[in-house]
Amino acid sequence: MEKTFQPADIETRWYDTWEAAGYFAPQGGERAYSIMIPPPNVTGSLHMGHGFQEAIMDALIRYHRMRGFNTLWQVGTDHAGIATQMVVERQLEAQGITRHDLGRDKFVEKVWEWKEESGGTITRQLRRLGSSLDWSRERFTMDPGLSAAVQEVFVRLYQEGLIYRGKRLVNWDPALHTAISDLEVVSQEEQGHLWHFNYPLAGGEGHLTVATTRPETMLGDTAVAVHPEDDRYAHLIGRSLELPLTGREIPVIADEHVDREFGTGCVKITPAHDFNDYDIGKRHGLPMINLFDDNAALSDAAPEAYRGLDRFEARQRVVADLDALGLLEKVEDHTLMVPRGDRSDVVIEPYLTDQWYVDARELAKPAIAAVENGAIEFVPKQWENTYFAWMRDIQDWCISRQLWWGHRIPAWYDEEGQVYVGNSEEAVRQAHNIDASVTLRQDEDVLDTWFSSALWTFSTLGWPEDTEELATFHPSSVLVTGFDIIFFWVARMIMMTLHFRKEVPFHTVYVHGLVRDAEGQKMSKSKGNVLDPIDLIDGIELEPLVEKRTGGMMQPKLAQRVEKATRKQFPEGIAAYGTDALRFTYYSLASTGRDIRFDVGRIEGFRNFCNKIWNAARYVHMNCDGEDCGVAGDEPLELSLADRWIVARMQQTAADVARAFDQYRFDHASQALYEFIWNEYCDWYLELSKPVLWDDDASAGAKRGTRRTLVTVLEAWLRLLHPLMPFITEEIWQSVAPLAGKRGDTIMLQPYPEPEKHAQDEQATRDIEWLKSVIVGIRTIRSEMNIPPGKEIPVLLTSTSGDDKKRLEQNSQYLKKLTKLADVRWLADRNDAPAAATALAGELEILVPMAGLIDKDAEIGRLNKEIGKLENDVSRIEGKLGNPGFVDRAPADVVNKERDKLAAQQQALETLREKLQRIQTM
RNA sequence: AGGACUAUAGCUCAGUUGGUUAGAGCGCUACCUUGACAUGGUAGAGGUCCCCAGUUCGAAUCUGGGUAGUCCUACCA
């Protein structure tokens, strides 16, 4: 074995081996366990959020696979309608053409080409993370099978009246030329103005003043509304106003929606361009004037002077023209929420168009019930509130998109515009007796990407066919996801699955936090703070990293800033840490209800942990290869105190890890393993094995027992650790397993260690704790008295307790070796003690004779410090016990515990004071 | 506007049903290349548990009220 752990070659080697051997495919017992991967964008690439999420799923999958579950981790990718189409359109733009130049078929062909070309990136990256996905079952949301499921769902929902087509106000993206759903609109606060305009009363005897943030829409006003009980305006209700610039007259109406306090209390109503105005318009039967075209430029519905102007140009013109007419009352600064498209970042326009909708209210009812009655559980629980709040006020879901990339809506129109929905044109013709002489034209639109994602848990398993996989693996066990897509995806999956399968899509939703950078900032390309998990695995030099982060940036200023920040944060680039270290870092940060700040310092610590593991294995090999490790069981074998102790600790760790998995506390699992492996197995057990293995006088049985424990405990914790660190555990297990008498091609399919309660050994645990405290006592004296670590010193022990004496007899070898003692002796009468430096371990006094070693003043200082601490302690406990309230009202065992503690501390205090006195009188 | 979450060592975070001397990793200090590992070992220093009030014999933990930060939902033209 190499002296240090080198992850690079073993990781890819093992992954290829596993995949080729088919270990990722479901196999195992009656109980099924399944997770459906949240399908990443097929042409995307892995970011830290993915890395985190995949690591969690892989741990769960490997854990259950090892426990004998019939385990499926379903893999697949999403066609990501808008995102993918945008990328390809941008490529065309670079060549100076648009998708319209190509035409629909050619363009879609291009997108498929791009998918083929770049679709491998993310799946390659998933492999680098060690994700044990069943690649043989890989799916894509636009596969024929999944497309058939999408069609089936659409047709059935239409037939049930749960999908309908309607002319409504939608969120229109003027850059992408498509409608988008409410969820795809991101509103942010921006600085704007509030313009006050005077609208003259028809008849010429005065005016009303309205306030607006969007002056250009006044061209489409069809009323002005006031509050019905507003005394200022009550007499004007029903009168008409002259709408300036248009030559139209509009009525003054009364509506409860108007807030009398805001602005002037008069609201201009533009039903075709504002969601609230739309509702008011419907209530009052107002005309709706659609001012804009698809680009949000003014259409022929606007007065001639404004036609063809962009909405923002039109705004300036309208304000200027009203000002010229003397109708601009005033302009105020005003902050307002501006809605922007989450993809395009342009201002979204409420726009009147024909779109397809899903009646979400109806589907939401059983979906709410499923969470209420516990059929689906969120972890952490608090997300259920978020889910309920949204579901109980859910709006119909606009599912049509004016894009070319996606599932085309299975609806056909005849020449009269009559719509027919069915699985194909033939099916439609047949169902409605339409002969070939009638031309049918398919709806141009495609479905929202999330429509197909909503079917993911069952469409991937073969639905609408009645497959064996569906019966076995559906509902899936758990969904692992970020909170940002609870509405986009989780809620819709629950609704669709309950409707079509009459069962939940998953029993548990594990909601993890967002991965942020070390400063707590969201990672984003424009901030230049993104980390690529692959770069943490393989490492990257500074220059390529800078290039990667600034490459393709349009704004030179931004690129400069990103470059500067990158050079500052990673002056040496990023080191190669390996997949196992990266994964372990994710787990250690995965506590619940909290975002993750990714600090490179953490991963370095876990890289070192990998090295520690590696070297522990190296030690075991050095001492056990070619030796009798006692696993055959036919030779006499003797287990030491340390052997029994580490076995007990191992069992406890197995129990801790099992509980952590049960509660989705990966941070607890990782910490339990880290502490056990480093602080107990390596720091103590390996050290305690040396005095036995290197002692020529030790019996063959004792050596055999130690070797057996070394290899069997190592072999067991490798299995325990494997779900979190798959590669290093496999690599080591291959060579260690035979020593432990185990056979098998891979650790992946070995049974997971089950905690055995009876293996607890309290006696051994207490004895080792005693030994540790004595050793630490001696080391402390050594360190604080500046006794060179190599110098062998004598030690005397004395105590009133018989146990202490017995323990010394059993452990003197350990003590001598581990603390470099020339000699350790029991002192029968503590009054015979020579001048010495003293430490206490319970009632035991540890004495390091001063002769030639100890500085008197230093020891006095040390004792005073100890005494000071004890005095504080004693007075604190005395105060507590002196409080009648405490003694009378606290439970007896708590009081007794305090009394015991006080007695022990007083005893220790007395001993040390006595020592101090003796040394002072020397 | 409503709601959720967070606030513990210089930094990143644990802390079960109230009783711990409040812990870990990184960083820091001192010493040490000893036959698994310097990506290491040993011993240390370091905390007003955001603030105020309350409940309690006892509060990092429970309740109320603040402050700061993050986020979600909705929205006043």
Side-chain angles (χ1 to χ4, degrees):
Chain A
M1 285 173 89
E2 297 284 331
K3 196 170 172 182
T4 54
F5 173 55
Q6 303 296 339
D9 59 316
I10 69 172
E11 288 178 358
T12 46
R13 177 157 51 78
W14 277 116
Y15 196 90
D16 293 346
T17 307
W18 293 332
E19 189 177 347
Y23 295 153
F24 302 152
Q27 49 193 300
E30 282 298 299
R31 298 177 300 174
Y33 187 86
S34 60
I35 296 179
M36 309 296 162
I37 195 173
N41 179 346
V42 66
T43 63
S45 66
L46 209 64
H47 56 65
M48 289 295 277
H50 287 120
F52 180 52
Q53 195 171 59
E54 308 307 337
I56 285 169
M57 284 186 275
D58 195 47
L60 288 168
I61 286 290
R62 287 178 184 272
Y63 174 66
H64 285 90
R65 190 186 286 124
M66 289 177 78
R67 290 176 65 209
F69 285 75
N70 187 16
T71 305
L72 170 66
W73 189 5
Q74 174 66 47
V75 65
T77 48
D78 190 88
H79 66 280
I82 294 183
T84 308
Q85 173 160 336
M86 274 177 73
V87 170
V88 176
E89 281 193 83
R90 234 178 254 150
Q91 290 170 356
L92 292 180
E93 199 183 312
Q95 302 166 33
I97 49 176
T98 71
R99 66 179 155 122
H100 300 284
D101 298 333
L102 284 182
R104 183 167 190 147
D105 292 346
K106 271 267 188 301
F107 178 78
V108 170
E109 216 172 280
K110 275 266 178 239
V111 183
W112 276 106
E113 277 170 30
W114 169 243
K115 184 243 172 196
E116 294 310 322
E117 189 184 318
S118 69
T121 306
I122 194 133
T123 53
R124 268 195 306 279
Q125 290 175 318
L126 286 172
R127 287 176 165 91
R128 288 302 313 277
L129 288 173
S131 306
S132 56
L133 292 150
D134 184 1
W135 294 103
S136 71
R137 300 189 43 80
E138 186 174 355
R139 296 289 183 273
F140 174 53
T141 46
M142 280 174 61
D143 279 348
L146 273 67
S147 300
V150 166
Q151 239 178 32
E152 182 72 18
V153 164
F154 187 96
V155 172
R156 279 208 221 165
L157 286 176
Y158 180 78
Q159 286 164 352
E160 293 165 20
L162 292 170
I163 279 184
Y164 63 93
R165 185 173 158 81
K167 198 179 199 85
R168 298 260 207 99
L169 211 49
V170 294
N171 301 296
W172 183 261
D173 188 315
L176 298 172
H177 293 152
T178 181
I180 56 178
S181 74
D182 297 345
L183 291 174
E184 292 160 277
V185 179
V186 184
S187 292
Q188 309 157 318
E189 217 168 61
E190 291 180 22
Q191 293 303 316
H193 303 281
L194 194 58
W195 285 270
H196 294 250
F197 299 133
N198 294 333
Y199 287 0
L201 277 160
E205 76 276 28
H207 63 260
L208 276 185
T209 306
V210 297
T212 181
T213 56
R214 301 203 49 196
E216 70 280 12
T217 63
M218 63 81 61
L219 299 171
D221 285 359
T222 53
V224 167
V226 297
H227 195 275
E229 284 152 33
D230 192 333
D231 295 341
R232 293 173 293 176
Y233 307 114
H235 64 287
L236 296 176
I237 295 167
R239 294 280 304 271
S240 287
L241 298 165
E242 283 175 25
L243 185 62
L245 311 179
T246 65
R248 287 189 286 118
E249 287 199 2
I250 57 173
V252 177
I253 60 170
D255 196 284
E256 300 271 348
H257 167 77
V258 177
D259 177 357
R260 277 174 280 186
E261 309 301 317
F262 189 88
T264 58
C266 304
V267 188
K268 60 188 273 309
I269 302 300
T270 322
H273 297 288
D274 180 279
F275 287 99
N276 287 312
D277 292 5
Y278 179 79
D279 291 339
I280 292 176
K282 285 197 109 170
R283 278 203 288 276
H284 296 269
L286 298 175
M288 305 200 176
I289 300 176
N290 199 347
L291 283 176
F292 295 140
D293 63 15
D294 289 357
N295 293 307
L298 274 79
S299 69
D300 290 353
E304 201 163 345
Y306 304 95
R307 287 179 197 164
L309 289 179
D310 175 75
R311 52 188 163 159
F312 299 110
E313 280 176 78
R315 174 175 303 175
Q316 291 182 342
R317 284 282 281 280
V318 165
V319 171
D321 292 349
L322 286 169
D323 195 14
L325 292 170
L327 297 173
L328 176 59
E329 175 85 17
K330 61 174 171 175
V331 187
E332 293 171 334
D333 288 338
H334 183 69
T335 49
L336 68 163
M337 296 299 276
V338 177
R340 289 179 182 273
D342 65 349
R343 294 285 169 191
S344 64
D345 205 37
V346 301
V347 177
I348 293 303
E349 202 60 55
Y351 192 47
L352 208 51
T353 52
D354 281 308
Q355 302 290 343
W356 291 91
Y357 293 89
V358 167
D359 179 348
R361 209 164 278 278
E362 201 49 47
L363 292 171
K365 284 175 194 161
I368 292 168
V371 176
E372 278 172 341
N373 66 29
I376 297 173
E377 241 178 313
F378 281 70
V379 177
K381 199 114 188 132
Q382 83 231 17
W383 291 108
E384 289 179 6
N385 291 329
T386 310
Y387 172 83
F388 287 138
W390 191 70
M391 290 294 268
R392 286 175 182 149
D393 189 33
I394 197 166
Q395 305 296 312
D396 283 358
W397 173 17
C398 175
I399 50 170
S400 43
R401 296 289 180 275
Q402 288 67 52
L403 304 174
W404 287 349
W405 175 242
H407 298 104
R408 193 142 170 198
I409 289 178
W412 283 262
Y413 304 88
D414 62 19
E415 278 135 13
E416 276 81 51
Q418 179 69 40
V419 64
Y420 306 98
V421 169
N423 286 306
S424 64
E425 190 176 328
E426 295 83 77
V428 163
R429 283 184 189 277
Q430 214 169 16
H432 298 90
N433 280 322
I434 305 169
D435 68 52
S437 68
V438 179
T439 316
L440 288 182
R441 161 180 72 75
Q442 187 174 2
D443 196 308
E444 296 291 327
D445 293 351
V446 300
L447 288 164
D448 182 5
T449 300
W450 297 102
F451 191 88
S452 53
S453 323
L455 321 178
W456 187 246
T457 62
F458 57 95
S459 65
T460 49
L461 296 175
W463 191 91
E465 306 296 318
D466 215 358
T467 64
E468 207 184 308
E469 286 97 327
L470 263 176
T472 308
F473 296 112
H474 201 275
S476 64
S477 307
V478 56
L479 178 75
V480 177
T481 187
F483 59 82
D484 47 333
I485 56 174
I486 287 183
F487 307 138
F488 276 109
W489 192 43
V490 181
R492 288 162 177 174
M493 264 199 286
I494 296 174
M495 289 192 281
M496 289 296 200
T497 311
L498 280 167
H499 189 76
F500 285 98
R501 292 287 305 166
K502 306 297 171 216
E503 62 184 7
V504 295
F506 29 71
H507 299 297
T508 303
V509 182
Y510 172 79
V511 182
H512 63 248
L514 222 62
V515 181
R516 299 170 176 277
D517 75 0
E519 272 78 48
Q521 297 285 312
K522 211 165 164 173
M523 289 192 185
S524 77
K525 199 153 167 93
S526 63
K527 281 190 197 128
N529 60 351
V530 286
L531 280 173
D532 182 342
I534 303 300
D535 291 341
L536 289 162
I537 293 172
D538 293 336
I540 185 168
E541 306 268 325
L542 178 59
E543 296 310 323
L545 180 63
V546 167
E547 173 52 31
K548 194 168 168 173
R549 284 183 161 190
T550 56
M553 272 192 170
M554 296 304 180
Q555 301 154 269
K557 261 197 177 152
L558 193 64
Q560 257 174 28
R561 208 167 55 227
V562 167
E563 172 166 358
K564 209 176 144 194
T566 303
R567 287 183 189 283
K568 193 175 166 208
Q569 201 193 349
F570 301 107
E572 314 287 331
I574 298 173
Y577 296 110
T579 299
D580 288 325
L582 175 64
R583 288 175 57 133
F584 208 79
T585 310
Y586 286 135
Y587 301 126
S588 73
L589 295 169
S591 60
T592 53
R594 222 175 153 127
D595 282 350
I596 288 100
R597 285 194 190 204
F598 196 90
D599 186 0
V600 176
R602 287 296 284 254
I603 194 172
E604 190 174 337
F606 294 125
R607 191 267 320 261
N608 296 351
F609 180 47
C610 289
N611 195 53
K612 193 75 181 173
I613 291 168
W614 186 256
N615 277 288
R618 228 156 62 88
Y619 170 84
V620 172
H621 274 299
M622 289 167 86
N623 287 284
C624 299
D625 284 348
E627 301 282 348
D628 179 0
C629 296
V631 292
D634 47 5
E635 297 283 338
L637 178 144
E638 198 180 301
L639 290 184
S640 70
L641 181 62
D643 294 335
R644 288 185 313 168
W645 167 75
I646 198 67
V647 167
R649 289 300 309 143
M650 162 75 212
Q651 293 301 332
Q652 184 57 50
T653 306
D656 292 346
V657 171
R659 197 179 57 239
F661 263 108
D662 202 43
Q663 300 169 338
Y664 296 92
R665 289 303 300 265
F666 302 95
D667 57 330
H668 287 173
S670 67
Q671 202 187 348
L673 283 160
Y674 184 94
E675 280 178 4
F676 170 73
I677 293 168
W678 197 317
N679 303 131
E680 302 193 291
Y681 187 80
C682 292
D683 284 353
W684 286 103
Y685 182 67
L686 293 189
E687 294 308 317
L688 291 168
S689 75
K690 290 173 185 175
V692 178
L693 295 177
W694 297 349
D695 180 1
D696 294 338
D697 298 333
S699 72
K703 290 193 175 187
R704 198 175 288 123
T706 294
R707 287 200 194 97
R708 179 193 158 86
T709 311
L710 270 178
V711 295
T712 55
V713 172
L714 170 59
E715 191 277 334
W717 66 247
L718 285 171
R719 280 182 286 129
L720 205 58
L721 180 62
H722 178 259
L724 308 189
M725 287 190 162
F727 294 114
I728 191 172
T729 49
E730 176 75 289
E731 176 73 10
I732 296 172
W733 187 84
Q734 291 291 327
S735 60
V736 166
L739 294 176
K742 296 258 175 181
R743 324 187 66 151
D745 295 326
T746 175
I747 191 175
M748 272 186 64
L749 301 176
Q750 296 300 309
Y752 200 70
E754 296 278 347
E756 294 165 35
K757 287 218 172 61
H758 67 268
Q760 286 311 318
D761 190 332
E762 287 178 23
Q763 185 63 45
T765 303
R766 274 199 301 272
D767 286 349
I768 290 289
E769 287 313 314
W770 177 88
L771 180 64
K772 282 160 95 172
S773 65
V774 176
I775 289 172
V776 169
I778 295 169
R779 282 176 181 166
T780 306
I781 291 176
R782 229 187 222 289
S783 176
E784 293 188 350
M785 292 296 111
N786 286 320
I787 302 170
K791 183 164 179 68
E792 298 205 331
I793 55 172
V795 164
L796 296 170
L797 300 182
T798 180
S799 165
T800 51
S801 158
D803 283 353
D804 285 335
K805 188 176 179 192
K806 210 164 73 203
R807 279 169 166 153
L808 170 62
E809 283 159 8
Q810 288 165 349
N811 294 301
S812 65
Q813 273 308 102
Y814 286 140
L815 281 179
K816 275 173 135 172
K817 276 279 182 206
L818 268 53
T819 56
K820 279 260 160 57
L821 301 185
D823 185 35
V824 54
R825 282 191 297 118
W826 186 258
L827 189 63
D829 183 352
R830 55 193 292 271
N831 292 319
D832 294 344
T838 308
L840 298 177
E843 289 172 41
L844 180 75
E845 290 175 42
I846 301 162
L847 308 172
V848 178
M850 295 181 75
L853 285 172
I854 310 281
D855 173 36
K856 179 179 161 186
D857 291 336
E859 177 62 6
I860 289 171
R862 219 178 61 80
L863 286 172
N864 272 325
K865 205 175 89 185
E866 284 300 310
I867 288 168
K869 269 193 213 162
L870 283 169
E871 281 171 345
N872 271 341
D873 246 22
V874 165
S875 67
R876 190 178 48 80
I877 304 172
E878 275 174 347
K880 220 170 180 180
L881 287 168
N883 177 356
F886 174 70
V887 182
D888 294 345
R889 313 194 55 166
D893 59 322
V894 173
V895 177
N896 284 334
K897 222 168 96 188
E898 292 297 319
R899 287 203 172 112
D900 292 349
K901 214 190 293 175
L902 180 63
Q905 302 290 60
Q906 280 172 332
Q907 165 80 51
L909 188 56
E910 202 180 317
T911 307
L912 289 188
R913 277 181 177 149
E914 191 187 312
K915 292 285 161 198
L916 180 63
Q917 205 176 15
R918 266 180 85 167
I919 209 167
Q920 274 170 336
T921 57
M922 265 171 60

